Amino acid sequence: MKRFKSKPSYIILVAAVVFVAGFIILGRFTGKIQTVGNRGDFNIETEFSRLKTAGPNLFNSFLSSADDIIKRGGISGGEEIVRKAFSRLQLDLVECHHLMHVLGHEAVDYYEQDADKIARHVSAFCEHGYQHGAEAEMYGFSKQGGSYEPLRKFCEAVRNYNAGELCYKGVGHSALSETLDVQRAIQICEKIVPDTQKSDREYCYQGIFNDLTNKVSGIDSDTGMTLSGPPLMKLPSTPIDYCASLKEPYRHSCIFELGGHMHTVANGNHTGALLECLKGDHDKALVEECIRAVSAIIAQKFFVQTKDTGTVTVTKNKLVDSWGTVYRRAYILGVAGELAEAQRWGARTNLTGFCQGFSDPEDATYCLQFDRQ
């Protein structure tokens, strides 16, 4: 099977979750996808049960069986398994995102680069993981062919099914993986995406800094798994200092994504990660964005820690009680927005209880507006 990003080893240990939430940029799934695999012996419930018992966790079992699942059940079969596993909390949010990433990569080959067929599966499910993987793979095919037109046609096809959907974050992933140089990766984004498509360009930049988060944390961007050896890249300073050194629009995209690395810097301590946002003398807007990004990762961390209980449960960090309204609301937006998206995709969370934990009634009301369960 031809792939332009090397296939990950499926025996690497699962890493700590490090990637920033994309809940603010939502897509609307309207495409109709195939629901029947290539053979009649593929049954979703049977496959799901088999994967649950095939290894230490369903994530690893799916990765090791991905080729076989797609061969027998198609991309749709793989997607249905991932959706079922997520709704039953057999996958956390990051695992779900990365499995959809893998399906996106494989869909390009499975559908023989047919943009329309690939685009039918695009949705916001698990933070657009499928679309990002497909874009990264289409970038490779387009580059090899000497024209980015196939990639642009894929974006057009995506918007035929999802009006207003953003494109090219997966290109940002690939651009940094290819160059290991932020400035060169930015040049690739700006070469492919016209300056008239400002939002798409920023989405491509986010892909760069999302991949940078993974690179400096020693994480494989496609699978979320640890890589052997030292990190491929290093930051010259703290994450917020590095982002502050950049010009706009890169600064915003940087802090939106690099907030995830602050958990690595803080050795996984939630309070320490939030305090990273307060280091140095930075403008309030940048600090606010940093808190929101870190808080979204906090929600993802709790997802991993509590998914076996049947309900994703986030405990409010006491540090935020000492903050002013703007920073408290940034924290709420990060956590509640992430929990709301998990609910939207079928998971149970304690979002209502989390919101009721705020002593300020206005904070609680602000938080509860995200509750969709």
Side-chain angles (χ1 to χ4, degrees):
M1 185 173 290
K2 191 173 185 179
R3 285 169 63 94
F4 285 91
K5 291 194 75 171
S6 59
K7 243 180 184 172
S9 170
Y10 295 145
I11 58 173
I12 308 173
L13 294 177
V14 177
V17 292
V18 183
F19 87 104
V20 162
F23 69 86
I24 296 169
I25 307 172
L26 304 178
R28 181 171 53 84
F29 178 65
T30 56
K32 186 175 181 180
I33 64 175
Q34 67 178 49
T35 56
V36 180
N38 294 338
R39 292 196 351 225
D41 64 347
F42 190 88
N43 178 276
I44 298 299
E45 195 64 45
T46 299
E47 295 297 323
F48 177 73
S49 298
R50 179 184 66 79
L51 290 172
K52 282 178 61 178
T53 59
N57 58 62
L58 193 139
F59 177 76
N60 282 341
S61 296
F62 189 100
L63 282 178
S64 63
S65 304
D67 285 346
D68 178 65
I69 289 170
I70 294 169
K71 181 179 179 180
R72 296 187 299 110
I75 300 300
S76 295
E79 180 183 350
E80 288 182 47
I81 291 172
V82 174
R83 286 179 177 271
K84 183 179 290 292
F86 182 79
S87 67
R88 297 186 185 182
L89 293 182
Q90 297 296 309
L91 294 172
D92 64 50
L93 187 55
V94 174
E95 290 171 337
C96 179
H97 175 85
H98 286 300
L99 290 187
M100 294 304 295
H101 222 279
V102 169
L103 288 174
H105 273 286
E106 301 296 353
V108 176
D109 188 64
Y110 183 82
Y111 290 120
E112 299 178 332
Q113 304 169 52
D114 186 313
D116 184 75
K117 290 179 180 178
I118 301 166
R120 291 179 190 181
H121 295 270
V122 170
S123 75
F125 177 61
C126 283
E127 300 183 336
H128 301 266
Y130 172 88
Q131 181 182 351
H132 299 165
E135 286 175 344
E137 194 74 3
M138 287 297 289
Y139 167 75
F141 277 107
S142 295
K143 185 177 180 182
Q144 184 189 59
S147 169
Y148 293 117
E149 198 57 30
L151 177 62
R152 296 188 181 108
K153 286 184 177 179
F154 171 67
C155 183
E156 292 174 6
V158 167
R159 287 173 175 152
N160 287 338
Y161 291 102
N162 303 272
E165 188 67 88
L166 295 178
C167 294
Y168 304 112
K169 186 168 185 176
V171 173
H173 287 312
S174 290
L176 189 68
S177 290
E178 177 185 322
T179 64
L180 297 180
D181 184 298
V182 170
Q183 292 303 319
R184 288 174 61 196
I186 286 173
Q187 291 171 3
I188 290 173
C189 283
E190 293 177 348
K191 179 179 180 180
I192 293 173
V193 187
D195 58 9
T196 54
Q197 297 174 224
K198 180 180 178 181
S199 295
D200 282 336
R201 270 199 174 184
E202 291 184 1
Y203 205 39
C204 193
Y205 301 151
Q206 286 180 25
I208 293 171
F209 292 109
N210 179 279
D211 203 64
L212 179 61
T213 293
N214 293 323
K215 293 288 187 291
V216 298
S217 302
I219 306 297
D220 181 90
S221 297
D222 282 323
T223 66
M225 304 173 88
T226 52
L227 296 169
S228 59
L232 294 175
M233 298 180 71
K234 291 184 179 181
L235 293 180
S237 58
T238 66
I240 193 167
D241 284 344
Y242 170 70
C243 293
S245 71
L246 302 176
K247 298 178 180 179
E248 289 293 3
Y250 315 124
R251 181 184 302 177
H252 169 82
S253 297
C254 177
I255 202 64
F256 182 78
E257 297 290 348
L258 265 181
H261 182 55
M262 294 185 186
H263 282 269
T264 303
V265 173
N267 296 314
N269 182 276
H270 296 176
T271 300
L274 288 167
L275 289 173
E276 284 292 321
C277 295
L278 304 179
K279 289 184 176 180
D281 184 21
H282 301 294
D283 64 79
K284 289 185 177 180
L286 188 68
V287 175
E288 181 183 355
E289 187 73 24
C290 179
I291 291 171
R292 179 174 61 169
V294 169
S295 300
I297 299 298
I298 287 175
Q300 294 171 17
K301 296 280 188 178
F302 274 105
F303 202 120
V304 174
Q305 295 165 5
T306 64
K307 69 177 183 178
D308 291 337
T309 67
T311 301
V312 179
T313 303
V314 177
T315 304
K316 186 189 73 171
N317 193 299
K318 294 181 180 179
L319 173 66
V320 304
D321 292 331
S322 64
W323 288 351
T325 301
V326 172
Y327 290 173
R328 286 201 315 275
R329 296 290 171 84
Y331 170 78
I332 292 171
L333 178 58
V335 174
E338 198 73 3
L339 292 180
E341 284 307 288
Q343 288 182 177
R344 179 174 181 243
W345 300 319
R348 292 179 59 188
T349 81
N350 77 322
L351 178 53
T352 301
F354 170 77
C355 294
Q356 292 172 344
F358 288 88
S359 57
D360 186 327
E362 293 185 1
D363 283 346
T365 299
Y366 174 76
C367 183
L368 285 167
Q369 71 176 315
F370 296 96
D371 195 358
R372 306 171 183 176
Q373 208 166 50

